[in-house]
């Protein structure tokens, strides 16, 4: 590629939208004039020293291409971005309107092209040219890599699904090279893939995680992790909630109770959303609240289990009746009973 003023005018209009000013036209004319002159007899022609060398850089950092030219003589050095044919600089004069580009040189042998705060559109092949006839050039490639980023507005947030249905979690990531997205459970339990068989895997890859015939055991936080070999990798926590009506479990349905002792009955509730729970007693389904006679408590276990406890203080004959634990959420109500049998005298 020979840099001439008419060609440069065409390139500048096509790629930068501005035309060549008078000063730049003079510089270009001087550059091309040297290509037409006869090489001084007896002097060795210009030649390149060490190769420029390809550069890989993380977006936002600074780079320098160094071009070593031996026996430059009266000729001039130019820098061109080869893929766009955009002239960066001629000798010590920056041509491009990119304010991040600058040039330096030393002893007319070492010529540097500097690019600050490198961006993705700086990626490409750069050419160091000497305006001999024919033109000689050295080329090097600039690769701009970008650490992964998760695109929040295209990635799932907290997600709710009813038990038995299917759900798809999505995680979009960008970066260069394109990131690989993987999924795992934050609690390190295995992911159950029921699309063809109930295969359990510690992790799986892909921008989408499809869960079919979802069960309550699938509930919990999932991590989507994006990696492309450029640190740091990134992740996002996506909470999956599985809704179902309350299910109650009473360990023992009939218990003999000693007189004058504190007696505790228990009930296990599985529900999502979390159920509103109460204790009731016969006769009349009287609701029990904490008092001097009773202590009502709850403990949360995991994401959907509640352990209900009712303590009856100083158990008497009048306390020998049926106690019911009741749980309700937006999907239904469930109840189970514990019968306290006729008291026996304590020893």
């Amino acid at each position: 590629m020979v840099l001439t003023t008419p060609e440069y005018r065409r390139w500048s209009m096509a790629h930068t939208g501005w035309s060549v000013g008078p000063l730049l036209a003079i510089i270009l004319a001087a550059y091309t004039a040297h290509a037409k002159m006869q090489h001084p007899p007896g002097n060795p022609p210009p030649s390149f020293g060490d190769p420029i060398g390809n550069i890989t850089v993380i977006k936002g950092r600074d780079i320098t291409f160094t071009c070593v030219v031996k026996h430059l003589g009266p000729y001039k050095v130019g820098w061109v971005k080869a893929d766009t044919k955009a002239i960066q600089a001629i000798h010590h004069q920056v041509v491009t309107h990119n304010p991040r580009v600058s040039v330096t040189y030393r002893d007319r042998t070492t010529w540097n092209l500097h690019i600050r705060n490198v961006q993705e559109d700086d990626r490409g092949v750069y050419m160091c040219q000497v305006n001999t006839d024919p033109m000689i050039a050295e080329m090097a490639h600039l690769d701009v890599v970008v650490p992964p980023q998760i695109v929040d507005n295209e990635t799932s947030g907290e997600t709710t699904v009813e038990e038995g249905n299917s759900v798809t979690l999505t995680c979009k990531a960008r970066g260069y090279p394109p990131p690989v997205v993987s999924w795992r459970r934050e609690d390190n339990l295995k992911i159950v893939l029921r699309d063809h068989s109930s295969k359990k895997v510690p992790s799986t890859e892909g921008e989408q995680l499809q869960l079919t015939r979802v069960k309550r055991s699938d509930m919990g936080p999932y991590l989507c992790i994006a990696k492309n070999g450029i640190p740091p990798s990134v992740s996002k926590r996506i909470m999956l909630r599985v809704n179902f009506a309350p299910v109650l479990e009473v360990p023992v349905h009939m218990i003999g109770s000693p007189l004058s002792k504190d007696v505790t009955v228990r009930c296990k509730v599985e529900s999502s959303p979390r159920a509103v729970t109460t204790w009731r007693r016969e006769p009349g389904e009287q609701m029990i609240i904490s008092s001097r006679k009773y202590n009502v408590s709850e403990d949360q276990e995991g994401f959907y289990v509640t352990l209900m406890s009712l303590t009856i203080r100083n158990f008497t004959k009048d306390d020998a009746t049926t106690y019911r634990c009741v749980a309700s959420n937006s999907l239904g109500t469930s109840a189970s009973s514990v019968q306290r049998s006729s008291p026996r005298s304590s020893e």
Side-chain angles (χ1 to χ4, degrees):
M1 174 171 31
V2 177
L3 300 175
T4 66
T5 302
E7 285 177 336
Y8 181 71
R9 286 197 175 98
R10 288 196 296 273
W11 294 336
S12 64
M13 290 299 292
H15 297 286
T16 65
W18 52 274
S19 60
V20 177
L23 177 59
L24 186 54
I26 293 171
I27 295 169
L28 284 164
Y31 185 81
T32 55
H34 279 285
K36 298 174 183 178
M37 66 181 291
Q38 294 294 321
H39 182 73
N43 292 339
S47 62
F48 293 106
D50 296 334
I52 297 175
N54 298 329
I55 294 177
T56 298
V57 65
I58 296 176
K59 179 183 176 182
R61 298 190 179 175
D62 303 342
I63 65 99
T64 298
F65 281 122
T66 298
C67 181
V68 176
V69 183
K70 301 177 181 178
H71 316 299
L72 181 60
Y75 298 101
K76 295 186 180 296
V77 173
W79 289 95
V80 177
K81 192 168 187 287
D83 53 348
T84 61
K85 299 181 181 179
I87 303 172
Q88 305 298 298
I90 296 174
H91 221 51
H92 53 75
Q93 180 72 40
V94 174
V95 173
T96 178
H97 272 186
N98 185 345
R100 297 180 291 104
V101 173
S102 61
V103 289
T104 58
Y105 66 96
R106 179 171 54 85
D107 299 332
R108 289 181 58 83
T109 58
T110 304
W111 302 82
N112 300 308
L113 176 70
H114 309 280
I115 306 176
R116 294 180 296 101
N117 187 22
V118 170
Q119 300 299 303
E120 288 188 75
D121 57 5
D122 296 324
R123 187 184 294 123
V125 176
Y126 288 78
M127 187 181 301
C128 172
Q129 294 183 335
V130 178
N131 62 335
T132 52
D133 187 12
M135 188 83 68
I136 62 171
E138 276 277 310
M139 291 185 293
H141 186 266
L142 174 62
D143 196 14
V144 183
V145 295
V146 183
Q149 290 180 306
I150 291 176
V151 185
D152 281 333
N153 61 355
E154 297 182 45
T155 296
S156 300
E158 182 170 312
T159 302
T160 301
V161 61
E162 288 196 15
E163 191 170 40
N165 291 343
S166 298
V167 67
T168 298
L169 303 180
T170 299
C171 183
K172 292 284 188 180
R174 62 184 172 211
Y176 187 85
V180 174
V181 174
S182 62
W183 297 85
R184 68 174 180 85
R185 292 187 62 161
E186 187 181 63
D187 52 15
N188 291 321
L189 295 177
K190 290 188 176 181
I191 299 172
V192 182
L193 303 175
R194 303 185 184 89
D195 46 356
H196 301 297
S197 62
S198 291
K199 182 170 64 174
K200 297 181 179 181
V201 296
S203 64
T204 184
E205 289 186 357
E207 289 188 339
Q208 292 187 327
L209 175 63
Q210 295 180 332
L211 301 174
T212 58
R213 303 188 301 279
V214 172
K215 296 183 179 181
R216 64 195 66 179
S217 56
D218 298 319
M219 188 185 307
Y222 289 73
L223 296 176
C224 76
I225 304 164
K227 298 180 180 179
N228 67 351
I230 311 303
S233 59
V234 291
S235 65
K236 182 176 180 180
R237 183 179 191 266
I238 300 172
M239 182 66 192
L240 175 65
R241 299 194 182 277
V242 181
N243 284 353
F244 56 94
V247 177
L248 276 66
E249 178 185 334
V250 174
V252 182
H253 288 273
M254 180 177 290
I255 305 174
S257 304
L259 291 171
S260 304
K261 297 289 185 180
D262 292 352
V263 175
T264 298
V265 293
R266 294 180 174 85
C267 185
K268 177 182 176 181
V269 183
E270 293 186 3
S271 68
S272 180
R274 184 175 176 179
V276 176
T277 60
T278 56
W279 285 99
R280 299 176 184 273
R281 61 162 288 170
E282 298 292 346
E285 289 284 303
Q286 302 171 54
M287 187 168 71
I288 300 173
I289 60 174
S290 290
S291 62
R292 294 180 63 183
K293 179 65 177 176
Y294 302 107
N295 182 64
V296 176
S297 64
E298 285 185 354
D299 289 312
Q300 196 71 18
E301 188 178 274
F303 295 104
Y304 56 87
V305 176
T306 301
L307 302 177
M308 301 173 60
S309 297
L310 169 64
T311 299
I312 306 164
R313 298 186 178 98
N314 189 24
F315 197 88
T316 68
K317 291 182 180 181
D318 292 339
D319 298 321
T321 185
T322 298
Y323 295 85
R324 285 165 52 83
C325 53
V326 182
S328 300
N329 69 8
S330 57
L331 298 177
T333 300
S334 185
S336 192
S337 300
V338 182
Q339 185 176 350
R340 305 308 304 194
S341 62
S342 299
R344 50 187 173 82
S345 299
S346 59
E347 297 179 359

